[in-house]
Amino acid sequence: MNSGAIPPTAPPLSARAPGKCILFGEHSVVHGRPELLLAIDLYTQVAVRVASESRLNGDARAAADHPYLTAALRRMWPPGRPPLDWTTVSRVPRSAGLGSSAAFCAATATALLAASGGGERSILADASFAIERSAQGVGSPGDTSAAVAGGLISLNGGSGAPLWELGDGAQNWVVRRVRDPGWVWLVVYSGIPRNTAETVRAVGRRLAEPDGPALLERFAEVAHAGIAAVEHEDRAEVGRRLSENHLLLRDAGVSHLKLEALIEAVAPAVDGAKLTGAGAGGSIVALPKLGHEVEAQRRAQRAGGVAFIVRPSPTGAHLVEVPA
Ligand code: MEV
């Protein structure tokens, strides 16, 4: 697991960060409730070199217009420093609920931190969250913390060692390490893109209804129970809690007919399933029954999903050795 500091490194350099999948607590985490995430073994990689003008994948306009890149440069690359030429490659599907923007923010922040003299991982977690938040306008530090930490992490729950603490003035989040039980997970992208900020605002409105506070407390109970079940490696209980969390997300208004169809399609081969990420499209996550991983993947594909069997990424954001 990458838990060390980012070493000082002069460009040209490359950095990589994993996408993420939320097992419990999306949306309610924005309101300070617990969440459990795993960094997944699909990565975004950025390569950066000093150049005569700023470019992103060869395009100066793209560099000037990219909300996450411009937010990263504003925060971490003061005026007067030389322009940078960025090249990016990613295996994380975009707008799929799998943390593509968090992976981009964490990889970019890793590169800029290294090029600015290096620093602790907690600084990277803080910077990655600030960059994503300033470009997106809303949200928790869950996605970016998973991209920085790797493995499994919890926010505001769990019994593992604290990694760092982040706040936004309204909420505070303590990020902890959760031991990986060593399971594989099925992630299925519905092919329906969605906008995180819009769904976060819609759920905020739902939680402001008279029964909103009770719904938020149900989210918290299910997430606490789900995190404890992962810590105790209790697959049956994790499966039940995944499905229960999905019903709450449906009640919060962020499911989608295609997500429901995918969950139904994989049901015979999994212990539990739910939408993952912001919802209203995006992806589902399921815990395949032991020995039924490929059957679950086939079922999802037959139902029209793009299915990945994923493991937790053993590494968080890190510099990549590029062959000379
Ligand atoms: C998005 O991946 C997860 C949400 O909870 C928003 C956030 O935590 O920033 C919906």
Side-chain angles (χ1 to χ4, degrees), residues 8-286:
T9 312
L13 61 86
S14 290
R16 182 188 288 165
K20 68 84 188 48
C21 167
I22 300 172
L23 299 179
F24 297 104
E26 53 272 269
H27 285 292
S28 55
V29 70
V30 175
H31 306 272
R33 301 311 188 275
E35 182 180 45
L36 178 68
L37 310 93
L38 71 149
I40 56 178
D41 53 356
L42 299 174
Y43 301 89
T44 291
Q45 184 164 327
V46 302
V48 62
R49 63 181 61 248
V50 170
S52 56
E53 65 171 352
S54 273
R55 282 189 295 263
L56 176 60
N57 296 328
D59 184 344
R61 170 46 73 83
D65 289 349
H66 195 284
Y68 296 100
L69 181 59
T70 52
L73 293 170
R74 253 194 326 276
R75 182 179 169 99
M76 301 182 75
W77 201 246
R81 303 199 71 175
L84 296 171
D85 182 348
W86 299 85
T87 310
T88 67
V89 288
S90 183
R91 292 182 59 217
V92 189
R94 285 174 60 182
S95 301
L98 300 178
S100 62
S101 62
F104 180 87
C105 293
T108 306
T110 302
L112 291 172
L113 187 61
S116 308
E120 292 303 319
R121 200 156 279 268
S122 56
I123 297 175
L124 189 57
D126 188 30
S128 303
F129 173 45
I131 293 164
E132 187 179 58
R133 182 66 184 262
S134 78
Q136 204 168 263
V138 290
S140 79
D143 295 12
T144 46
S145 287
V148 169
L152 270 76
I153 58 162
S154 62
L155 275 70
N156 291 357
S159 58
L163 294 174
W164 46 75
E165 190 168 345
L166 296 165
D168 68 356
Q171 298 295 346
N172 216 48
W173 295 274
V174 179
V175 180
R176 293 175 188 276
R177 171 61 64 208
V178 175
R179 208 165 53 81
D180 175 14
W183 304 338
V184 299
W185 301 86
L186 178 71
V187 167
V188 188
Y189 176 40
S190 63
I192 297 162
R194 53 93 196 101
N195 179 303
T196 299
E198 271 171 27
T199 55
V200 167
R201 291 198 177 95
V203 171
R205 288 191 293 276
R206 170 70 185 90
L207 293 175
E209 289 175 14
D211 67 339
L215 178 57
L216 194 54
E217 290 326 308
R218 281 295 296 141
F219 270 112
E221 281 166 33
V222 170
H224 275 306
I227 293 168
V230 170
E231 288 181 340
H232 293 117
E233 302 188 17
D234 182 343
R235 293 177 63 94
E237 175 70 358
V238 170
R240 270 194 298 279
R241 296 295 184 178
L242 289 172
S243 302
E244 206 176 351
N245 195 162
H246 180 71
L247 296 181
L248 298 177
L249 288 160
R250 199 196 272 172
D251 188 352
V254 290
S255 193
H256 186 285
L257 282 178
K258 184 71 188 275
L259 300 178
E260 297 294 327
L262 289 172
I263 287 172
E264 201 182 313
V266 299
V270 306
D271 286 324
K274 63 181 271 293
L275 73 81
T276 185
S283 300
I284 65 160
V285 59

